[in-house]
């Protein structure tokens, strides 16, 4: 990303701080818009410091549609090895892939979710409706996760719909938001 494209990143230190300083067994969820097939690996690689990228044990798990990532034995094996969990579109929030994501969170893991449930239909100009999966992950994890949102633009130019290889010479802008902690909110809700 950095060598072949122009990447502008704002707020990456917020995610770095959480990755380095979160308590043991404190789960992390990152939430992002989804505009291109390669959003996850390319944007994540652009915003993480090398020390985190080289620590495979602590890298993110992400969710991907079964019909895209797990359609044959070769792609299934590849995506399992790069920490992708299968979800079936239209099967709701109580399906195997969601249970697997919660299991990763329960071990203090990091899960990346695209809350729209699909890629943007207009190249990221607007945000689609948010699905309930993010709520399920926050509410059903044993320990309340920290949620770090980020949004990006420009990936639709690097990996347009139908492209087989990424394009070069494009600009991607990534904005990382403030970490959101739900501990107090959920604790008061559970008491009431």
């Amino acid at each position: 990303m950095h060598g072949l494209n122009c990447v502008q990143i704002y707020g990456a230190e917020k995610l770095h701080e959480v990755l380095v300083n979160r308590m043991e067994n404190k789960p992390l969820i990152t939430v992002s818009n989804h505009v291109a097939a390669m959003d996850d690996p390319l944007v994540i690689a652009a915003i993480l410091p090398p020390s985190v990228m080289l620590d495979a044990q602590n890298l993110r798990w992400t969710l991907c549609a079964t019909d895209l990532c797990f359609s044959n034995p070769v792609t299934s094996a590849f995506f399992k090895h790069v920490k992708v969990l299968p979800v079936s579109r239209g099967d709701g929030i109580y399906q195997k892939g969601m249970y697997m994501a919660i299991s990763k969170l329960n071990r203090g893991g990091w899960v990346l979710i695209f809350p729209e449930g699909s890629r943007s239909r207009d190249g990221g100009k607007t945000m689609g409706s948010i699905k309930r999966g993010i709520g399920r992950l926050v509410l059903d994890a044993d320990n309340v996760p920290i949620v770090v949102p980020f949004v990006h633009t420009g990936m639709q130019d690097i990996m347009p719909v139908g492209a087989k290889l990424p394009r070069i010479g494009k600009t991607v802008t990534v904005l990382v938001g403030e970490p959101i902690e739900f501990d107090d909110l959920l604790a008061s809700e559970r008491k009431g």
Side-chain angles (χ1 to χ4, degrees):
M1 284 283 286
H2 289 287
L4 301 174
N5 294 288
C6 175
V7 183
Q8 303 167 327
I9 303 168
Y10 302 95
E13 70 281 354
K14 297 169 192 171
L15 178 57
H16 298 177
E17 177 77 19
V18 170
L19 287 169
V20 171
N21 294 320
R22 69 187 161 117
M23 294 183 312
E24 190 174 334
N25 292 324
K26 182 69 170 176
L28 169 63
I29 300 172
T30 47
V31 180
S32 176
N33 62 324
H34 192 22
V35 297
M38 298 293 285
D39 286 352
D40 171 44
L42 295 180
V43 174
I44 289 291
I47 63 177
L48 292 181
S51 62
V52 175
M53 285 297 297
L54 297 173
D55 184 7
Q57 183 69 25
N58 291 315
L59 275 179
R60 64 81 193 113
W61 288 88
T62 193
L63 303 162
C64 185
T66 304
D67 60 321
L68 293 177
C69 295
F70 297 89
S71 59
N72 66 60
V74 174
T75 59
S76 292
F78 172 77
F79 284 110
K80 285 178 187 174
H81 281 85
V82 294
K83 300 178 85 169
V84 176
L85 304 170
V87 289
S88 298
R89 291 188 246 209
D91 282 359
I93 60 173
Y94 296 101
Q95 61 171 287
K96 184 178 178 181
M98 292 298 288
Y99 284 104
M100 292 167 69
I102 291 168
S103 173
K104 303 304 179 189
L105 293 171
N106 288 343
R107 289 188 219 125
W110 169 17
V111 172
L112 167 63
I113 188 168
F114 300 104
E116 296 166 280
S118 183
R119 289 185 359 190
S120 169
R121 303 225 183 269
D122 64 3
K125 293 179 184 140
T126 60
M127 196 77 180
S129 62
I130 303 300
K131 307 291 186 226
R132 298 176 305 169
I134 180 65
R136 169 134 198 258
L137 295 179
V138 170
L139 291 171
D140 287 354
D142 291 343
N143 295 314
V144 180
I146 297 171
V147 176
V148 178
F150 66 93
V151 64
H152 56 87
T153 61
M155 281 300 298
Q156 67 276 8
D157 298 327
I158 290 177
M159 201 68 189
V161 174
K164 300 287 186 226
L165 296 171
R167 308 270 162 73
I168 61 172
K170 306 299 181 185
T171 299
V172 174
T173 303
V174 183
L175 303 168
V176 180
E178 293 293 333
I180 304 166
E181 298 197 36
F182 292 94
D183 299 81
D184 292 347
L185 177 65
L186 292 177
S188 65
E189 181 66 27
R190 288 176 179 151
K191 285 180 187 175

